[in-house]
Amino acid sequence: MTTEPEIVTRFRTMLDEASEDDLTALAYNSPAVHFALFMEIKDKNGRYIRPEPNVLQLRVSEVIETLRVRCPGTRIRIIGVKPRRAGLSTFSLHCGYHEAQRRTIEGITIADCKENSAMLTERLADYSGHDSFPWDNPLVQDATGTKAWANGSKWTVDTAENPDAGVGGTRQFGHMSEVSKYPQTEKKNDRKTITAAMPSFDGDDTVVIAESTPENAAGWFYDTFNEGMWLDDFLRRYEEGFRPEEVWIKVFAAWHEFADYRRKEPVSEIERGYIDETLTEIEREGRAKYGWTYEQLAWRRDTIDSQCDKDPRIFAFYYPSDPVSCWIAGGTPRFDMERLLQMEERAKIITPDLGFLIRQHDNVVSFSPQHDGSGDIEIYEHPVPGMKYGLVLDPAESLSQTVGADPDANSLGVWRGAYQDEAMDVWRPMKLVARLKAPFRGEEDDVADHAIRLSRYYGTCIAAQEVNKGFHILRRLQLAGIPCYKRKPLNNRTGKVEEQYGFKMTDANTREALVSSLASALVNGDLDIPCEHMIGEMKKFIRNAKGKSVGALGYHDDDVIHAAIAWEVIPSSATEYRVVKIKNVEPKDRGPHGWKARSWG
């Protein structure tokens, strides 16, 4: 049987055991206590009720209260992923309202659209009208149209549809609502909106809460949540002496932790039997891992049928069980998100060897490891005799030809072919074993030098270069004696098949076919990619409204095309690595008793 979250039990016990004077003091410092004892809010039927904070709201309040006591002066940054109707927007705004009553501040809420902006503005006024705490701080008229109180606190509600939302000024509290739903255009998107607003919260005693449902696995909200820290991890690091200027604390609650997400009436014996007979794999796992009750299972099935188009993946998006699966159904990712997330989890625990490749005599290349982070080559697996390797290069435009603040990068790496591991009796898929550290935006000669050294290190392996650009690099590879991949296209002029150097995408159909083939390889587990940067690009590679496979707005696809080319050419073209034995050859001018004297006469 699912038990009540421990934080809910603790909160209820604290309220029951505290004296009236203690409760007033607690409400002054705790948004959750104030919310529970002194506020009235509208329920879904439009009636004013005294709310009982849910598990997600309590976790937000816990972060604020804990950091102020245990980490004084820390800038409080909270990022929360919420299920549908979890009340996180309501409570985040309340946290700002609560702070505006405690002291004089300036705050802002940036909503995703004008309709929600208007609703939140109205809700702020509603809070003041239905708050029984003795603040003695009524709303006052303000000529600028912002909400203002007698103590001097002011609050602005804006929308992300405004490109200048939150720009300028000095504030102490920020509420970014439904961030994943912010407009996503070249001029207006979540990353630009948030990064433009954040400099206004530069004081020590500042709070910013960003919350949203998980719309897709791309953008500022997704990246920041995954890069953030859980409260316990942050506190542990803080006690060890970790003092970052700004860290986002992650807040999450699974759907089964909410008291409302279950059938109100007990499930009958007949329906229990039916549920037992028809359990899905996800339901079995939920029972074993989380103790889902019959009432929760019945509610989940009802919700999938009535609200999620009978699709359990959509339910996982709107009502997540964990902070990973919620991203899987969001948006329209081009590749299987579940597979990518699995690869990413493995990649996070892998530390590649970082260093430089050094050219020795006779074209021998050795690896010089660096432990200070200064290397430019990442190696996940050093060359092994008998294995087959191939180098893949998707070059960017030369720096001298590049225009713009965020140009494409060169994607260069070595792949090991798939093989049967006889010792372990297991099939090892094709693997990225080394790469030029990403992103690399160097000149063509620098790219060529790296490619030559990488090829040499893996036995002068074959190089497959995308040749829509970068012809100088290809020429350098040829002059260095690196075997180069050849394609065999039909010459429309002669009607004959002719060999041509390099890999070439001739049109959009060729590109889409490559991407589709890569997508299938990922689903089937045919690729082992230990590089977080490459996986990150794949996660942000989407099918847009026109059906075209592209990088999401603001993201690149250099590594994606690299991997697609690799899957196309490496299985059939990789070359075997063999140890080259260098023989000691006596110089021609060396005699039996030492070096011959050179005659100058």
Side-chain angles (χ1 to χ4, degrees), residues 263 267 271 275 293-302:
R263 279 263 190 95
V267 176
E271 189 173 0
I275 290 174
T293 65
Y294 285 106
E295 286 69 31
Q296 287 174 319
L297 287 166
W299 178 87
R300 178 180 180 275
R301 291 185 175 191
D302 291 344

Side-chain angles (χ1 to χ4, degrees), residues 38-57:
F38 294 94
M39 291 297 300
E40 287 187 345
I41 63 171
K42 285 183 180 180
D43 67 6
K44 59 185 179 182
N45 297 313
R47 297 173 299 195
Y48 282 97
I49 61 167
R50 183 62 53 80
E52 182 176 349
N54 62 41
V55 57
L56 188 58
Q57 294 167 340

Side-chain angles (χ1 to χ4, degrees), residues 339 519-527:
R339 178 71 67 179
S520 297
L522 290 169
V523 169
N524 296 332
D526 292 328
L527 292 174

Side-chain angles (χ1 to χ4, degrees), residues 218 332-334 539-544 548-553:
T332 54
R334 184 62 180 84
K539 287 163 58 180
K540 299 171 181 69
F541 196 74
I542 64 171
R543 195 190 296 276
N544 65 16
K548 185 179 179 181
S549 298
V550 296
L553 182 67

